Amino acid sequence: MPPDPLPPAGIVARVAAHALATPDALAVHDGRHDLTYAQLIANAAQLAQALRLRGIGPGSAVGLLVPHSVRAVVAQLAVWWAGGHYVPLDPDHPDERITMTLRETGAALTVGDPDLLADSPVAAAHALPLPPLPFPVLPRAAGAPAPVAEPAPYDPDATAYVLYTSGSTGRPKGVALTHRGAESMATGLPCDPLRPGDRMLFHSPMAFDAAAFEVWAPLAHGATVVVCATGRPAVEHLATEAAHLGADVVFLTTSLFHHLAARDSALFGLVRTVVTGGEELSGAHARRVLRLRPDLELVNAYGPTEATTFATAHRVHDADCAGAPPLGHPLPGAGAHVLDGRLRPVPRGATGELWLSGARLAAGYVAQPALTAERFVGPTPGDARRYRTGDLVSVRADGALVFHGRTDEQVKVRGHRVEPGEVEHVLLRHPGVREAVVVVRRTSVEDARLTAFVVPEAGARCDTVALRDHVSALLPAHLVPGTWVLTDGFPLTGSGKADRRALARDPLPPVRTGGRPGIGDRPAADGVAAPPPLSPVQRVVADAWSAALGRPVDRPDADFFALGGHSLLALTVVEDLRRDLGAETALAAFYADPTVAGHGALLEAALREELR
């Protein structure tokens, strides 16, 4: 018998091969719209033609400003079909951040939802609004390029997409991921193989590296992408969406996994596989889920964005859960090397720094050659190109990697990489700030809060609300501290530097004198009357907030996010009140007015609706 043919090279060719072999198989589904593989290819080719007419080809960067939808999947494939690479943009990011991203990547065209484009800093001349599906067949003018029947030639080393991560120098880092790395990520899975008919939930933010896994892994295997089209689903609504869409496989950031595990979420009874990663996994939470669902495939996956989402993985069993489960073994296309300070391998069981190699490595950082050379080393004669992770690990007897911390100050908060230096640089741009230190304080396994300690300039009027507004105007939400402390100085190490470990560990200092607010309180002007008492519904809201935030809440104008709240806590509060009161409130409405009074008004309206 002749040998089986080799699989086509590149994800685009794999998707096209599925369209030829099983044209009627379901490729993308969002609960309202479906695309078969044949329809996905047809729509991607049509959009690729429009992109080519706008000058997009090999080497072109294309911004993507699209909500979770079937069209988002088509748009990503179309950019690759035309030969370009995509740059996901988050509509919730500040305009300055979006403008910087487009400028640095050289994206002269942004494809997007018309409403999102209208509210963005993208000029109309550089925007391509997406029409409804199916995309129209474009008329061909005389001398215009022919319709795009075939995808651009496959170049494994070409950039496939660019994702931005936090930067320690105050400048975010654009990581250029290659087609070779994307294919390795999509085919060398951290979980059991995907098969036609399987459904993977696409719910991660587009600019988060797990989103690429959620889209390309199923499409590379002839499976189905099921799109969670809800912008910010509440905690248990994620289970509802998974049930509605028939999801079999789901990725959860570690923080979200911990929250769902603590609540015995119905999600774990709906899917066969949960891949989790982004932070150190709690053995207690993993054990709780596995004892609830012994047959669940629970995978602890590890990998920086620079290694195309995942580099190692470990199938978690009950026996792993006495402590933090290991990071596991390298995945196909990834190599792992544990080295000492002189770049020599350390003995098994000893702790060293983890370096990664292999096909999954990114090309480097966009427009930052010095940083690329510092973090991506090689190749040298007889050695492979390697990426320095900054993670400290050891190798246990069975070859699995065990995490021991960081060599630097980088931290993970709710799955996002946070370089405190980036936040500190932005804070120091405020004229009222003399010194700033940012750390992560953990109130529990489920809750990590970015905390800013600020020394104001002498005589400056500096309050926490103004500082939060300043940072929010320049940085994405996950980089905005939730807890603020104004102080006269920091504890110091023996070398005279701010003692970050003490700031992250020790009790918060008392609010400094001088009438300034601290730890997230709104400023109070002299002579202002005491706030009015809380109404009964507002008291219910305040009590729910107090339980989530771990601090008393007693003002109608108290702001959830100024008090240290964040997206996961908001999900929890909305879900707790839904469970206790039977009142459905939209998370987007909560974000629009995140005060006790605003949340109380939402609850009152929902309760009135229930009584009709």
Side-chain angles (χ1 to χ4, degrees):
M1 292 180 61
D4 291 335
L6 293 174
I11 294 176
V12 174
R14 287 175 179 269
V15 177
H18 292 309
L20 285 174
T22 55
D24 296 327
L26 185 61
V28 193
H29 170 67
D30 68 2
R32 294 184 301 168
H33 304 101
D34 296 332
L35 285 182
T36 66
Y37 270 87
Q39 291 168 333
L40 172 62
I41 288 295
N43 279 278
Q46 281 301 124
L47 182 56
Q49 182 189 0
L51 293 171
R52 290 258 182 99
L53 292 172
R54 295 290 294 268
I56 300 303
S60 301
V62 179
L64 285 187
L65 194 60
V66 191
H68 278 68
S69 60
V70 169
R71 291 190 302 169
V73 178
V74 176
Q76 292 173 84
L77 182 60
V79 172
W80 285 359
W81 197 277
H85 57 273
Y86 63 86
V87 183
L89 304 172
D90 191 324
D92 291 330
H93 283 185
D95 285 356
E96 180 177 309
R97 186 85 165 199
I98 292 175
T99 301
M100 180 281 300
T101 300
L102 295 173
R103 180 179 63 249
E104 186 169 87
T105 57
L109 183 68
T110 296
V111 173
D113 176 83
D115 291 337
L116 292 180
L117 287 171
D119 291 335
S120 78
V122 178
H126 300 286
L128 178 61
L130 283 177
L133 291 170
F135 292 140
V137 176
L138 298 177
R140 185 183 174 196
V148 183
E150 298 294 331
Y154 174 64
D155 179 355
D157 295 318
T159 300
Y161 55 101
V162 176
L163 298 176
Y164 272 80
T165 68
S166 186
S168 60
T169 63
R171 177 183 177 183
K173 298 177 289 192
V175 185
L177 289 313
T178 68
H179 281 282
R180 187 195 311 276
E183 183 178 23
S184 184
M185 174 266 295
T187 57
L189 301 178
C191 54
D192 286 345
L194 293 172
R195 297 178 177 85
D198 287 342
R199 296 185 171 206
M200 179 174 284
L201 188 65
F202 170 33
H203 72 102
S204 294
M206 292 275 288
F208 188 51
D209 59 357
F213 171 68
E214 294 169 347
V215 170
W216 300 122
L219 292 181
H221 291 86
T224 305
V225 182
V226 288
V227 185
C228 179
T230 305
R232 289 188 176 101
V235 173
E236 274 310 307
H237 284 183
L238 189 61
T240 303
E241 286 286 312
H244 174 61
L245 297 168
D248 303 299
V249 183
V250 62
F251 170 81
L252 303 172
T253 62
T254 313
S255 294
L256 182 54
F257 173 81
H258 290 160
H259 273 262
L260 293 169
R263 304 166 71 84
D264 295 332
S265 171
L267 177 69
F268 300 116
L270 297 170
V271 298
R272 77 157 190 272
T273 299
V274 172
V275 180
T276 184
E279 297 169 71
E280 189 170 28
L281 179 61
S282 160
H285 288 72
R287 174 170 283 164
R288 180 169 181 155
V289 169
L290 289 173
R291 291 187 175 178
L292 185 72
R293 270 288 314 277
D295 59 333
L296 180 73
E297 182 190 20
L298 176 61
V299 179
N300 186 31
Y302 160 85
T305 300
E306 288 86 346
T308 321
T309 309
F310 302 129
T312 72
H314 178 78
R315 171 78 181 266
V316 181
H317 298 281
D318 193 90
D320 298 307
C321 298
L327 303 181
H329 296 78
L331 291 165
H337 317 269
V338 185
L339 309 177
D340 64 16
R342 297 184 180 179
L343 305 187
R344 300 173 302 188
V346 302
R348 182 159 291 194
T351 298
E353 184 175 358
L354 177 61
W355 293 67
L356 298 174
S357 62
R360 295 178 181 239
L361 291 194
Y365 300 112
V366 175
Q368 298 194 56
L371 184 61
T372 298
E374 175 188 336
R375 303 303 295 189
F376 294 86
V377 178
T380 56
D383 203 355
R385 180 172 176 262
R386 295 176 178 178
Y387 168 71
R388 184 174 198 164
T389 68
D391 290 320
L392 295 172
V393 301
S394 63
V395 182
R396 67 184 194 183
D398 65 354
L401 296 168
V402 179
F403 180 70
H404 294 293
R406 291 283 304 170
T407 62
D408 56 20
E409 303 298 332
Q410 182 194 113
V411 292
K412 286 290 190 78
V413 179
R414 297 183 291 284
H416 292 279
R417 181 189 303 183
V418 175
E419 296 276 7
E422 181 173 5
V423 188
E424 292 165 2
H425 275 273
V426 169
L427 275 169
L428 291 171
R429 290 169 60 178
H430 190 284
V433 174
R434 188 175 79 213
E435 297 179 75
V437 173
V438 176
V439 300
V440 170
R441 294 178 64 90
R442 295 188 178 273
T443 58
S444 67
V445 172
E446 297 91 12
D447 190 20
R449 302 185 189 181
L450 205 59
T451 302
F453 293 83
V454 175
V455 178
E457 288 284 3
R461 292 186 60 82
C462 184
D463 65 66
T464 57
V465 173
L467 292 176
R468 181 181 176 84
D469 290 345
H470 167 76
V471 175
S472 297
L474 299 171
L475 293 177
H478 67 271
L479 293 177
V480 178
T483 303
W484 299 81
V485 179
L486 300 181
T487 181
D488 294 314
F490 309 127
L492 301 178
T493 64
S495 60
K497 297 181 179 180
D499 191 338
R500 295 176 180 271
R501 292 186 178 181
L503 290 172
R505 179 187 63 239
D506 294 345
L508 287 172
V511 181
R512 58 167 289 169
T513 59
R516 293 190 177 94
I519 321 176
D521 293 329
R522 286 189 175 277
D526 293 339
V528 174
L534 298 173
S535 72
V537 174
Q538 289 172 355
R539 171 46 59 194
V540 171
V541 170
D543 289 345
W545 286 21
S546 296
L549 295 168
R551 55 179 302 170
V553 179
D554 54 13
R555 297 173 59 99
D557 64 346
D559 184 300
F560 185 79
F561 297 105
L563 291 172
H566 51 71
S567 56
L568 275 180
L569 284 181
L571 292 171
T572 300
V573 166
V574 168
E575 176 57 25
D576 284 345
L577 290 173
R578 183 203 63 79
R579 181 196 61 207
D580 295 342
L581 302 178
E584 293 279 356
T585 57
L587 195 61
F590 173 82
Y591 274 77
D593 185 4
T595 63
V596 168
H599 197 183
L602 289 176
L603 276 182
E604 288 179 345
L607 290 170
R608 284 195 300 269
E609 186 66 26
E610 288 292 324
L611 293 174
R612 286 184 180 178

